[in-house]
Amino acid sequence: MTTMKEEEKITQPFSPDVLPPNKVICIRLCGHNLKIAITFDSSQGVSGIIWNAGVVLCNYFEKEAIRFSGKKVIELGSGTGLVGILAALLGGEVTLTDQAYALPQIEVNVAANIPPSDVRRSTISALSWGQDQNSFPADYDIILGSELVFHPSSYIPLLQTLLHLSHKETVIYLCSAMNPYTMSSSFYHDTLPPYFNCQLVYRDESKNCNVYKVTKI
């Protein structure tokens, strides 16, 4: 069962231009006690906090006893790095990606949660959907993403990125809150189906989040 609590403030300058001071959140997932720094700071945008979809996706890994040993994994829109860090702790060779401004926070969280003996299995890289995905390999075994679909303008760049990174055997796990204002259901019901099989495999009613298993047609 997932447990989460606020542990402490991160010692950083605070100004009236940002939201409340930054925190470390303690959360237990798949038998691992994680300490995830979050940032209530406009410079981090939506990348600075833990979204419900990320926790729900991790809970799905636990429910289904999914392990990543020997798998080449990439996480899109890593944000705090929560999902990618857990995938690395579960044995994966994981590349955590996001916009360049989000990478320092991911680096902090990777260093705080992945033992030095295993940190070599995690890589952190900037990736802008629809722009530089071709600089990444196209042979990932697993692609992960949580709360990626905020606005229809991101649908095509995200689709282009998924198409490049995946092959016929790639398994993609995506989790989204099904809020009407994000129109996220359209991505799964309209944008993906011409190119991917898209199966709803888990739903958390309390958080209104769906997990989809996606494979290339």
Side-chain angles (χ1 to χ4, degrees), residues 71 73-75 84-85 87-88 92-96 121-124:
K71 301 296 185 182
V73 182
I74 187 167
E75 183 190 12
I85 288 167
E93 303 278 342
V94 183
T95 300
L96 299 92
R121 292 192 286 100
S122 62
T123 303
I124 302 167

Side-chain angles (χ1 to χ4, degrees), residues 47-88:
S47 300
I49 63 174
I50 296 172
W51 291 90
N52 281 339
V55 176
V56 170
L57 184 56
C58 292
N59 286 340
Y60 174 73
F61 298 158
E62 184 165 23
K63 176 179 178 291
E64 297 297 323
I66 293 173
R67 295 295 180 265
F68 298 91
S69 298
K71 301 296 185 182
K72 186 174 182 178
V73 182
I74 187 167
E75 183 190 12
L76 304 180
S78 295
T80 63
L82 173 68
V83 175
I85 288 167
L86 184 62

Side-chain angles (χ1 to χ4, degrees), residues 102-166:
L103 301 189
Q105 178 172 256
I106 298 171
E107 291 168 355
V108 166
N109 286 328
V110 165
N113 291 282
I114 299 180
S117 58
D118 295 330
V119 76
R120 61 179 175 77
R121 292 192 286 100
S122 62
T123 303
I124 302 167
S125 299
L127 195 168
S128 295
W129 307 338
Q131 297 181 33
D132 54 11
Q133 67 271 7
N134 290 342
S135 63
F136 289 77
D139 61 348
Y140 290 97
D141 299 306
I142 298 174
I143 300 173
L144 304 174
S146 57
E147 210 62 283
L148 302 183
V149 184
F150 282 99
H151 193 273
S153 63
S154 69
Y155 291 4
I156 297 305
L158 178 55
L159 174 64
Q160 292 169 340
T161 302
L162 292 172
L163 285 168
H164 171 75
L165 297 174
S166 63

Side-chain angles (χ1 to χ4, degrees):
M1 181 178 180
T2 302
T3 57
M4 188 186 303
K5 67 178 181 178
E6 176 186 313
E7 184 191 50
E8 61 189 62
K9 295 178 182 178
I10 302 171
T11 304
Q12 286 187 349
F14 176 72
S15 78
D17 299 326
V18 298
L19 291 168
N22 302 337
K23 310 282 186 185
V24 172
I25 299 297
C26 298
I27 181 169
R28 182 170 177 83
L29 294 162
C30 297
H32 294 275
N33 294 314
L34 305 182
K35 294 182 177 181
I36 302 295
I38 63 173
T39 308
F40 296 104
D41 187 322
S42 58
S43 68
Q44 291 294 310
V46 297
S47 300
I49 63 174
I50 296 172
W51 291 90
N52 281 339
V55 176
V56 170
L57 184 56
C58 292
N59 286 340
Y60 174 73
F61 298 158
E62 184 165 23
K63 176 179 178 291
E64 297 297 323
I66 293 173
R67 295 295 180 265
F68 298 91
S69 298
K71 301 296 185 182
K72 186 174 182 178
V73 182
I74 187 167
E75 183 190 12
L76 304 180
S78 295
T80 63
L82 173 68
V83 175
I85 288 167
L86 184 62
L89 292 172
L90 295 176
E93 303 278 342
V94 183
T95 300
L96 299 92
T97 69
D98 209 314
Q99 299 287 335
Y101 63 77
L103 301 189
Q105 178 172 256
I106 298 171
E107 291 168 355
V108 166
N109 286 328
V110 165
N113 291 282
I114 299 180
S117 58
D118 295 330
V119 76
R120 61 179 175 77
R121 292 192 286 100
S122 62
T123 303
I124 302 167
S125 299
L127 195 168
S128 295
W129 307 338
Q131 297 181 33
D132 54 11
Q133 67 271 7
N134 290 342
S135 63
F136 289 77
D139 61 348
Y140 290 97
D141 299 306
I142 298 174
I143 300 173
L144 304 174
S146 57
E147 210 62 283
L148 302 183
V149 184
F150 282 99
H151 193 273
S153 63
S154 69
Y155 291 4
I156 297 305
L158 178 55
L159 174 64
Q160 292 169 340
T161 302
L162 292 172
L163 285 168
H164 171 75
L165 297 174
S166 63
H167 53 82
K168 291 284 188 179
E169 304 303 318
T170 302
V171 177
I172 305 168
Y173 293 107
L174 301 176
C175 185
S176 294
M178 306 311 290
N179 297 316
Y181 63 84
T182 65
M183 300 173 59
S184 53
S185 62
S186 175
F187 179 74
Y188 296 103
H189 297 154
D190 302 321
T191 304
L192 286 179
Y195 309 93
F196 292 95
N197 298 305
C198 189
Q199 178 187 5
L200 175 64
V201 292
Y202 181 66
R203 174 164 172 78
D204 186 319
E205 290 286 351
S206 67
K207 294 181 173 61
N208 191 28
C209 290
N210 289 353
V211 176
Y212 294 89
K213 182 178 180 180
V214 180
T215 54
K216 217 169 195 176
I217 293 175

